[in-house]
Amino acid sequence: MSSDLANLKAACHARTAASESDRINEGESLWIAGLAVAADVGHVGLSMGNGHSVVVSESSILEVTKDKDLYFVRVKAGTTALVRSEIITTLRDNACACSEASPPSSAAKPGGGSGGRQVIPSIGTVTCFTFNSCSDYIDSKGVSRRVCVPAPICHRNDPAGSA
C-alpha cells in the first residue's frame, strides 16, 4: 500500500502544468481559437473565419495548444486585443436622395463622446462595443475548453434623437 501511496503522491505533485500559485496569480483567463494569420512581430493573430480575426500580444499569452489546424490560446481576462471583422458590402446612400435637405457637410468631424461613442453632426450618435460569444469546444483529444470569439458591434442612433 505504501508504494501505491507514493505513486499517487508523485502523480499529484508532478509539475506538468502551472503550479496552483501560478494559476492564482494569473487570475481569470479565457480561450480564443483559430487558424494562424499574419501579425506583427511580438503578436499572434488568429483567424476565426469569415474575415474575422483577433491579434494579441505574445506577452499576454498564458498557454497555447494545437488541435489539428486550430490553435487554442489562453489569455488573461481583460487582455487588450485588436479585433478585425472584414465584410464585403455595397456602399450606397441610404437617404435615397428623395429629401430636399442639403447633404451633410464633408467637413463634419467627430465630436463629443469618448470610449466607443462618437457624435457626428447630421448622422447621430454611434456607439460601439465588443461582445464576446463563448461556447464549449471539445478537441480531438477530448479536452473541453470554453472558447470566446470577440466581435465588434456598432449601433447608430437617429440624429433627431441626439442632442
Side-chain angles (χ1 to χ4, degrees):
M1 179 159 144
S2 63
S3 67
D4 289 340
L5 179 58
N7 290 338
L8 177 60
K9 285 181 179 181
C12 290
H13 296 121
R15 294 288 180 206
T16 57
S19 72
E20 292 165 346
S21 295
D22 291 340
R23 295 293 306 265
I24 290 168
N25 289 335
E26 288 172 359
E28 277 187 77
S29 64
L30 58 93
W31 289 91
I32 55 177
L35 302 172
V37 294
D40 290 344
V41 174
H43 297 80
V44 297
L46 297 174
S47 170
M48 298 175 172
N50 296 326
H52 191 78
S53 64
V54 175
V55 177
V56 295
S57 168
E58 287 180 17
S59 62
S60 303
I61 298 172
L62 300 173
E63 183 179 351
V64 176
T65 62
K66 187 175 180 186
D67 182 47
K68 299 180 184 172
D69 292 335
L70 287 179
Y71 287 92
F72 292 84
V73 178
R74 188 169 64 91
V75 296
K76 189 170 185 169
T79 293
T80 300
L82 173 61
V83 178
R84 292 187 175 120
S85 196
E86 191 173 295
I87 299 169
I88 303 299
T89 186
T90 302
L91 300 177
R92 61 178 63 106
D93 184 353
N94 289 331
C96 78
C98 44
S99 162
E100 293 293 323
S102 60
S105 165
S106 61
K109 296 189 188 243
S114 62
R117 184 172 183 258
Q118 288 187 327
V119 178
I120 303 172
S122 302
I123 294 177
T125 303
V126 178
T127 306
C128 296
F129 60 94
T130 303
F131 175 78
N132 289 308
S133 174
C134 301
S135 59
D136 295 322
Y137 180 88
I138 300 174
D139 69 16
S140 63
K141 298 172 190 141
V143 176
S144 178
R145 292 182 183 84
R146 184 114 177 116
V147 177
C148 298
V149 177
I153 297 177
C154 295
H155 174 72
R156 180 176 68 95
N157 297 321
D158 187 338
S162 63

